[in-house]
Amino acid sequence: MENGYCRFCGEKLETTMIDLGLSPLSNEYVTAKDIYRGQFFYPLVVHVCPKCFLTQAAMYQQPEQIFGEYQYFSSFSSSWLEHCKEYVSMIVPRLKLNESSHVLEIACNDGYLLQYFLPYHIPVKGIDPAKNVIEKAAERGIPVECGFFDEDSAQAMSANGERYDLIIGNNVLAHVPDIGRFVAGLPVVLGQTGTITMEFPHLMRLLEHTQFDTIYHEHFSYLSLGTVCTVFEANGLKIYDVEELPTHGGSLRIYAAHAADLSHPITSRVEELLQRECDFGLRDMAVYRAFSQRASKIKLDTLSLLTALKQENKKIMAFGAAAKGNTFINYCGIKRDIIDGVFDSNIHKQGLYLPGSLIPILSPDTLQEQRPDYLLILPWNLSEEIAESASCIRQWGGKFITCIPEIRVF
């Protein structure tokens, strides 16, 4: 669907939730040789559909340009790996999976999750468009198909006799521009009594805690349970259970099955959360419009704090070269004259520069050498994990800063 109309139902989009200005792609890191070549900046604007309430970013780049060579490796976050390990140890007995079951993960990245099924001897398969990332999955012994999942690829899998007892999609539903065609592929390869689980950041939490930094071009949609129910029901699926998770600042994990599958009755948790979303105001356009003012306040408060610290000749650096940090830095207009560098444990990012701001990415091993007075934690959802790993800054009186949902110095 062209910009200006809802990508799911085709309704005209007239309400803007937020306009974050012009921004480069948040995962388009810059090499040293390209630092003076310039980058493309695209509008980062989010609209709300008045009919199905799909909250969506205007699209300026095709998924192939964004995900073909990807610098995000899931395995570099220890807390995320622990989350995945716990998921597998829960889902295997819950669904009674065994050696004759089949598991598919869409957007499997480097095999970070599927690796935990291997000790159970459950056959797994992944699909992911990023060639550089799936090579890592192959090294773990996980078979991966390179490509995007949609209705067409699902039909090809189905023709090959593929049916799955469990289909997993973590942080992928928000990344697909044509959410209808993506979801239409799921029932095609889902076994008769199979289950789909998907995790995605919860729109209600994004609005409640002013998490505007989770908005970037790779995230085409910002999802509520109500809208996801609408999309799934339109494709012959039902959501029969839901869990609220702390990951990514507040996420949902949905459990879905064929609409006609009586072996998975709908739990009371689904209806209860739908009611809470309604009470919060997810069907009230005024709630979306108020979001922009709160984001603007965080921006101004951040700039006031950082400017005051620079005037005191304090050295400010950041931690976590994640996509959300790039949205935050580019929206606030922060450059290298404010932040000297950003530390990141992902070796594939070290030596590169953040898109837009061109702040250099350094190894955390150089923290002692750099001795920042203040460390701005960009992935605030991992602030405890990062504060622990960078605790050495306390030796010289260094402090940490997080800015969302409000400014905090500790």
Side-chain angles (χ1 to χ4, degrees):
M1 192 65 63
E2 64 184 279
N3 287 335
Y5 293 88
C6 177
R7 277 201 291 273
F8 175 64
C9 72
E11 191 76 8
K12 189 167 174 53
L13 300 173
E14 292 177 333
T15 299
T16 298
M17 183 174 96
I18 193 167
D19 183 345
L20 291 165
L22 294 169
S23 185
L25 296 181
S26 60
N27 277 302
E28 206 169 66
Y29 296 88
V30 180
T31 62
K33 70 178 173 62
D34 289 338
I35 197 163
Y36 297 115
R37 288 186 63 179
Q39 279 184 287
F40 287 105
F41 281 60
Y42 305 91
L44 190 48
V45 185
V46 177
H47 302 290
V48 189
C49 176
K51 184 178 174 188
C52 69
F53 296 95
L54 178 64
T55 305
Q56 53 203 286
M59 189 171 82
Y60 294 93
Q61 282 288 59
Q62 294 303 310
E64 292 80 4
Q65 293 167 285
I66 296 173
F67 300 112
E69 180 85 9
Y70 209 44
Q71 293 301 339
Y72 181 75
F73 287 75
S74 298
S75 295
F76 283 101
S77 170
S78 55
S79 58
W80 181 244
L81 288 179
E82 190 57 38
H83 170 76
C84 295
K85 193 175 182 180
E86 287 172 7
Y87 165 81
V88 173
S89 59
M90 174 278 296
I91 203 72
V92 169
R94 175 169 175 166
L95 298 183
K96 300 181 173 62
L97 301 175
N98 55 41
E99 293 174 19
S100 61
S101 306
H102 291 87
V103 174
L104 172 70
E105 187 185 10
I106 301 165
C108 66
N109 200 263
D110 57 8
Y112 69 97
L113 186 149
L114 289 178
Q115 64 180 334
Y116 296 116
F117 284 98
L118 299 180
Y120 295 95
H121 306 290
I122 296 170
V124 299
K125 176 183 172 177
I127 180 167
D128 197 286
K131 295 186 183 71
N132 63 317
V133 173
I134 65 173
E135 286 167 5
K136 299 293 178 190
E139 287 169 16
R140 290 189 162 107
I142 295 161
V144 183
E145 183 179 315
C146 188
F148 288 94
F149 179 88
D150 60 14
E151 201 172 359
D152 293 337
S153 62
Q155 293 290 359
M157 286 182 187
S158 176
N160 203 25
E162 294 179 43
R163 288 290 184 285
Y164 292 94
D165 303 286
L166 172 62
I167 299 173
I168 306 162
N170 286 347
N171 302 307
V172 62
L173 198 57
H175 286 74
V176 291
D178 194 337
I179 194 169
R181 273 180 55 78
F182 176 86
V183 174
L186 296 172
V188 176
V189 288
L190 182 65
Q192 201 173 351
T193 57
T195 284
I196 299 157
T197 71
M198 298 215 153
E199 295 178 23
F200 48 85
H202 191 192
L203 174 63
M204 189 164 83
R205 295 283 168 252
L206 184 153
L207 290 166
E208 184 181 12
H209 300 298
T210 323
Q211 298 167 354
F212 65 86
D213 60 338
T214 59
I215 294 168
Y216 31 97
H217 298 102
E218 292 92 326
H219 276 181
F220 294 107
S221 304
Y222 302 86
L223 301 164
S224 63
L225 177 62
T227 295
V228 173
C229 282
T230 299
V231 176
F232 273 60
E233 285 163 12
N235 288 285
L237 297 165
K238 66 178 178 186
I239 291 174
Y240 70 82
D241 200 4
V242 62
E243 292 171 21
E244 293 176 87
L245 308 171
T247 51
H248 300 289
S251 297
L252 297 183
R253 177 189 289 148
I254 56 154
Y255 294 76
H258 289 290
D261 177 8
L262 301 178
S263 69
H264 295 296
I266 296 172
T267 70
S268 59
R269 289 197 287 193
V270 175
E271 196 53 52
E272 187 263 334
L273 183 52
L274 287 171
Q275 186 58 52
R276 267 198 290 136
E277 286 189 344
C278 192
D279 294 345
F280 179 83
L282 289 190
R283 292 177 175 270
D284 179 358
M285 287 301 177
V287 169
Y288 296 97
R289 283 192 284 263
F291 179 74
S292 186
Q293 292 166 312
R294 300 203 310 277
S296 181
K297 183 182 185 314
I298 290 173
K299 170 181 177 171
L300 295 174
D301 289 349
T302 299
L303 291 173
S304 294
L305 173 65
L306 298 185
T307 304
L309 292 175
K310 288 307 280 188
Q311 286 174 336
E312 293 172 16
N313 291 319
K314 299 297 185 186
K315 185 174 186 178
I316 308 169
M317 299 185 79
F319 201 110
K324 59 164 47 124
N326 291 326
T327 293
F328 181 83
I329 280 174
N330 285 309
Y331 173 59
C332 292
I334 296 167
K335 298 282 191 285
R336 287 186 286 185
D337 55 347
I338 300 284
I339 291 178
D340 293 26
V342 56
F343 301 101
D344 198 283
S345 53
N346 182 341
I347 54 172
H348 301 280
K349 291 181 182 176
Q350 290 165 15
L352 299 176
Y353 296 80
L354 297 186
S357 65
L358 299 178
I359 295 168
I361 305 171
L362 311 170
S363 165
D365 297 341
T366 63
L367 254 170
Q368 293 267 11
E369 181 190 324
Q370 295 287 341
R371 294 176 74 86
D373 297 302
Y374 289 87
L375 200 54
L376 172 62
I377 298 176
L378 294 170
W380 43 263
N381 54 304
L382 302 175
S383 58
E384 286 180 26
E385 180 184 330
I386 290 168
E388 180 65 33
S389 69
S391 60
C392 67
I393 75 165
R394 295 192 174 103
Q395 294 167 15
W396 55 85
K399 293 180 179 177
F400 298 97
I401 302 171
T402 53
C403 298
I404 290 178
E406 59 199 358
I407 306 291
R408 181 170 156 245
V409 180
F410 61 101

